Amino acid sequence: MAPIYDLILKGATVVNHDGAVERDIGVTGGRIAELGDLSQASAAEVVACRGLHILPGVIDTQVHFREPGMTHKEDLESGSRSAVMGGVTAVFEMPNTNPLTITAEAMASKVAAGHHRMHCDFAFFIGGTRENAQSLPELERLPGCAGVKVFMGSSTGSLLVEDDEGLDSILKVIRRRASFHSEDEYRLNERKDLRIPGDPRSHPVWRDEVTALRSTERLVRSARKYGARVHVLHITTAQEMDFLKEHKDVASVEVTPHHLTLFAPDCYERLGTLAQMNPPVRDAVHKAGIWRGVEQGIVDVLGSDHAPHTLEEKAKEYPASPSGMTGVQTLVPLMLDHVNAGRLSLARFVDLSSAGPARLFGIARKGRIAVGYDADLTIVDLKRRETIRNDWVASRAGWTPYDGVAVTGWPVGTVLRGRRVMWNGELVTPGQGEAVRFMETLGAC
Ligand code: DOR
């Protein structure tokens, strides 16, 4: 008798670790059960996918969803809706909420708030502080925890460990890979006067490349001292890329679609404070430097750094305007456009957005299309031309810096553990998100 699957996705080009090959995918119980020719098989649901590409579900390892405390900007439901509308199947969310995510209670409450309410799977970072450093070995192992996140320079919220002693106290005790916002707080304070009221073009002048490089050098020095693994978030300078290529044993590297797409001064002239983020978007030379990091394999993952603020907040005069822009929903379309423009291969995109996150963070059963893995899939039409619009953005913030930008390549389906969540631009299944499981802490789940 022919096997019966829950779902068969038929005839797509499946992009994976073994190349891009036309094959069917059979799903049972939320997991991939068979890859190959399933023309003789039956299923409860058969979806024709000819002409489409199926990628392993895109995992966005850096988003800010603002719950608890700033839910007028976003919450776990709206942020994750934005994620699946953009083809993202899992997110790692940041601890600069209010209250901060720095205790076991705060972590448990976020996991409970996300369970079967978020539309994609999720994990949360625990904020590292001087005060909780001694407890981090337990905190980083909590169910649903993606690891420790440290802000070395201040940004939105009050998390900050600016000094080497504080940094050492954390790196000395933790065991998992920890993630860092790397900007040198001392230099940021010294240079505050360089901010020109009303002129966000002065943002990258204030938060200059030395601010980023100095902090990243300090971080790597400290990581070496303790044999710790550090993940340097949103790299923005050519100099850091050159430095980090010498330290790939201890340091992993993230870049964002914003820093690969926008550049100064153009972005500030066109978008004003909408382009303001930390670390800042810099000039074309730095943009070329981080693209080189992508080409040369120095970059491990892409994170959107989705950091929503309302348009009203963004309309404040610089520097009172908050830093951050939406991004979780535009990650896939923007990067597919870069693929179509020949800036990276589709295989490298999959490496950066699925295999890379799985490898760095040791995600259990995700990041690859293989039998036994979760059936998390990002289905894309590589040739579809679309224009990104504010009214397409499901984030509560309701805007994107790419409003009006035409792209080639579009997410048309998001499948989470075997269920279609987004299909042709519509949300088709209510929230069924669950905590991501990590190999290093399987016992905790
Ligand atoms: O621009 C930013 N916004 N960078 C950060 O590091 C934080 C983020 C936010 O939470 O608004």
Side-chain angles (χ1 to χ4, degrees), residues 102-105 107-108 124-127 131-148 169-170 172-176 440-441 443-445:
I102 53 176
T103 61
E105 295 70 38
M107 175 62 65
F124 299 107
F125 285 99
I126 189 97
E131 293 69 33
N132 75 358
Q134 287 313 311
S135 314
L136 287 174
E138 292 89 58
L139 294 172
E140 69 175 347
R141 297 186 58 80
L142 290 169
C145 182
V148 175
S169 71
I170 293 173
K172 200 175 351 187
V173 296
I174 58 171
R175 285 287 163 268
R176 296 180 69 185
E440 284 170 280
T441 58
C445 308

Side-chain angles (χ1 to χ4, degrees), residues 64-175:
H64 303 262
F65 283 173
R66 311 301 194 201
E67 180 179 337
M70 290 167 281
T71 52
H72 67 285
K73 300 177 198 267
E74 194 78 286
D75 66 20
L76 294 173
E77 191 280 325
S78 61
S80 61
R81 183 154 30 96
S82 197
V84 298
M85 294 299 286
V88 170
T89 56
V91 295
F92 292 4
E93 205 265 349
M94 287 294 164
N96 56 336
T97 45
N98 187 14
L100 298 168
T101 318
I102 53 176
T103 61
E105 295 70 38
M107 175 62 65
S109 120
K110 271 191 170 180
V111 171
H115 185 77
H116 288 192
R117 173 166 158 256
M118 288 177 74
H119 299 276
C120 57
D121 282 355
F122 54 81
F124 299 107
F125 285 99
I126 189 97
T129 68
R130 261 174 238 93
E131 293 69 33
N132 75 358
Q134 287 313 311
S135 314
L136 287 174
E138 292 89 58
L139 294 172
E140 69 175 347
R141 297 186 58 80
L142 290 169
C145 182
V148 175
K149 158 77 184 279
V150 176
F151 282 87
M152 293 173 67
S154 38
S155 195
T156 303
S158 58
L159 276 175
L160 183 64
V161 181
E162 73 273 46
D163 59 313
D164 287 343
E165 212 181 309
L167 197 60
D168 283 2
S169 71
I170 293 173
L171 289 174
K172 200 175 351 187
V173 296
I174 58 171
R175 285 287 163 268

Side-chain angles (χ1 to χ4, degrees), residues 130-314:
R130 261 174 238 93
E131 293 69 33
N132 75 358
Q134 287 313 311
S135 314
L136 287 174
E138 292 89 58
L139 294 172
E140 69 175 347
R141 297 186 58 80
L142 290 169
C145 182
V148 175
K149 158 77 184 279
V150 176
F151 282 87
M152 293 173 67
S154 38
S155 195
T156 303
S158 58
L159 276 175
L160 183 64
V161 181
E162 73 273 46
D163 59 313
D164 287 343
E165 212 181 309
L167 197 60
D168 283 2
S169 71
I170 293 173
L171 289 174
K172 200 175 351 187
V173 296
I174 58 171
R175 285 287 163 268
R176 296 180 69 185
R177 182 181 302 273
S179 299
F180 294 83
H181 180 116
S182 178
E183 288 185 285
D184 186 279
E185 181 70 5
Y186 303 104
R187 187 168 168 94
L188 285 179
N189 283 330
E190 278 161 27
R191 294 167 61 84
K192 273 197 166 137
D193 288 351
L194 293 171
R195 298 180 297 182
I196 300 172
D199 188 355
R201 282 176 305 184
S202 61
H203 197 57
V205 177
W206 168 41
R207 301 179 91 106
D208 70 345
E209 57 257 62
V210 177
T211 305
L213 180 63
R214 192 173 281 176
S215 166
T216 297
E217 287 174 344
R218 286 175 40 217
L219 172 60
V220 167
R221 206 177 306 134
S222 185
R224 271 204 187 288
K225 200 148 66 171
Y226 300 106
R229 285 171 294 161
V230 295
H231 181 51
V232 198
L233 298 163
H234 39 42
I235 291 297
T236 55
T237 67
Q239 289 91 332
E240 282 171 290
M241 210 54 90
D242 261 353
F243 171 73
L244 286 165
K245 73 175 186 228
E246 304 301 334
H247 300 280
K248 291 299 295 176
D249 51 348
V250 291
S252 52
V253 176
E254 178 201 75
V255 295
T256 79
H258 308 313
H259 295 113
L260 291 170
T261 306
L262 304 174
F263 59 97
D266 168 82
C267 64
Y268 301 107
E269 282 159 6
R270 281 190 306 108
L271 300 163
T273 58
L274 296 185
Q276 178 194 334
M277 68 182 303
N278 302 330
V281 178
R282 305 186 193 280
D283 64 22
V285 172
H286 288 297
K287 188 173 110 169
I290 59 176
W291 267 112
R292 188 171 151 73
V294 171
E295 286 154 21
Q296 298 294 307
I298 304 163
V299 178
D300 295 280
V301 294
L302 280 168
S304 73
D305 194 10
H306 177 85
H309 300 283
T310 66
L311 281 174
E312 204 183 351
E313 292 162 338
K314 282 298 231 179

Side-chain angles (χ1 to χ4, degrees), residues 22-26 34-39:
E22 191 178 308
R23 48 170 63 138
D24 306 327
I25 302 177
E34 184 79 36
L35 295 169
D37 177 1
L38 297 179
S39 52

